Amino acid sequence: MHQVEICFSPDLIQHHELEGKIVVVVDIFRATSTMVAALANGVKRILPFADLESCRVMQDQGYRIAGERNGHTAPGFELGNSPVAFLNDAYAGIQLAMTTTNGTQAIEKSKGAAEILIGAFPNLQATVAYIQAQQKDVLIHCAGWKGRFNLEDSLYAGALVKSLESSHSAVEDGALAMKSLFEREGHRLKEYLSQASHAKRLQNHGIEKDIEFCLTYDLYDLVVKVDQNGFLVSI
Amino acid sequence: MHQVEICFSPDLIQHHELEGKIVVVVDIFRATSTMVAALANGVKRILPFADLESCRVMQDQGYRIAGERNGHTAPGFELGNSPVAFLNDAYAGIQLAMTTTNGTQAIEKSKGAAEILIGAFPNLQATVAYIQAQQKDVLIHCAGWKGRFNLEDSLYAGALVKSLESSHSAVEDGALAMKSLFEREGHRLKEYLSQASHAKRLQNHGIEKDIEFCLTYDLYDLVVKVDQNGFLVSI
């Protein structure tokens, strides 16, 4: 039996072994949900950046650019961090350069893993099936909010631990705790998360449709991974 | 209504505001449980140290010394980190210098708070009553295990959040999550925690009596705080 564990913040990743593992990066509100939405709706590939400036200059190389900080579209960027902007193939065929407050930093800090996947509720079961076809331990890397624990990433982690039950044992404390939390609260995800700080923060931005999308299970039979050149692609 | 929040690792404390808050430091297995046991059983005061060497030299100043690393008594130390060693007033009247793998580091990193308390299950309700007599926000600082999330500290945090319900709202994500986890698992604390990594680690050391003690509610009507000179004292 393989193992699954959770890292609750990129600032704790140094305490987790990456080598040989599949790392699933999670930033439910909204980076990884947006990445999944974009690739499921025809975006060719996504190049993630930790900083704004490196991302912005990609425009000169024919990329469309998406930049978000603190929940808002960063100045000078065409796109922010809204998954619904990509629906109905609105950006099909493009290449996207993308930077977000938390999510793209977590991808950067996952380097060294055997494989890096991008996780979100809309492709949960596809991700589970892919993982179960490999023979590797799993580390779920929650992007959190500015280094802190957050509820939506942690609950996704719990959902993934629960879904991997038949192939990956949850003996690590974080995995145990979040599996239990998901068992209690997973049936009322939206109601439960509406109490969370980040959901409240986003509600103030008037993006209820994004939240609705981010908390919808299994819209796509699509796995998103970081390829050998650092691009996010669907497989 | 005041607020309560949780920091799951000393390595995340820089993301939490300390100023003006009561910080409750928690290291259930076993540092803070041992501190509470010692002071409840007549130890006069405890001086915590983050490093072994500074602690060891306190022997020359008339202190008894307790040192633990990785679950074992550190070489050259009289005492380790066992709460049951202090029961029945075995060390009544002494002054203790103490260093542990995680707990004493968390105390060190809590400096800057309005007040630092030491929390454990054996004095949970006493701590709750003390906090509710103050008018301050609360930050629960889990010592974790070598920088990582751990289950027993987090469950204590959930128990404290739950007990503070009437005076402190849990809107912060960590507090919300652990309150929910405690509501689900709190009635079977020992059984649930027996799955946890640290409990397993300790079971291998043959200290079942310590674990039993650490998971017993409300043995003492005693509050432990860090005084202005850095000593842990009962109030």
Side-chain angles (χ1 to χ4, degrees), chain A residues 5 8 11-12 15-16 146-151 172-173 176-177 180-181 183-185 192 195 197, chain B residues 5 8 11-12 15-16 146-151 172-173 176-177 180-181 183-185 192 195-197:
Chain A
E5 67 190 280
F8 290 105
D11 287 356
L12 297 180
H15 299 304
H16 294 263
K146 297 189 176 178
R148 287 171 66 155
F149 175 96
N150 89 28
L151 200 52
E172 183 263 346
D173 284 15
L176 265 174
S180 186
L181 185 66
E183 285 168 353
R184 182 183 164 100
E185 309 291 358
Y192 183 60
Q195 308 168 72
S197 59
Chain B
E5 67 189 280
F8 290 105
D11 288 356
L12 297 180
H15 299 303
H16 294 262
K146 297 187 174 178
R148 287 172 66 155
F149 174 96
N150 90 26
L151 200 53
E172 184 263 346
D173 284 16
L176 265 174
S180 186
L181 185 67
E183 284 168 353
R184 182 181 164 102
E185 309 292 358
Y192 183 60
Q195 309 168 72
S197 59

Side-chain angles (χ1 to χ4, degrees), chain B residues 14-82:
Chain B
Q14 72 276 13
H15 299 303
H16 294 262
E17 186 71 50
L18 296 169
E19 205 182 318
K21 291 181 186 159
I22 298 177
V23 173
V24 183
V25 175
V26 187
D27 184 2
I28 297 301
F29 294 152
R30 296 167 288 163
T32 59
S33 303
T34 299
M35 290 161 180
V36 168
L39 291 167
N41 283 274
V43 166
K44 204 173 143 199
R45 56 187 192 173
I46 301 171
L47 196 52
F49 290 89
D51 70 292
L52 285 167
E53 204 37 49
S54 312
C55 187
R56 193 185 281 116
V57 298
M58 294 305 290
Q59 205 165 19
D60 304 334
Q61 298 185 40
Y63 284 74
R64 309 293 279 268
I65 55 170
E68 171 266 348
R69 285 298 179 273
N70 301 316
H72 298 280
T73 302
F77 281 78
E78 174 185 2
L79 287 154
N81 192 15
S82 169

Side-chain angles (χ1 to χ4, degrees), chain A residues 18-24 113-117 127 130-132 134-140 168:
Chain A
L18 295 170
E19 204 183 320
K21 291 181 187 160
I22 298 176
V23 172
V24 183
E115 200 163 339
I116 304 171
L117 304 181
T127 302
Y130 178 83
I131 289 171
Q132 291 185 324
Q134 323 296 314
Q135 295 292 320
K136 289 193 172 71
D137 290 337
V138 171
L139 167 61
I140 307 168
H168 289 71

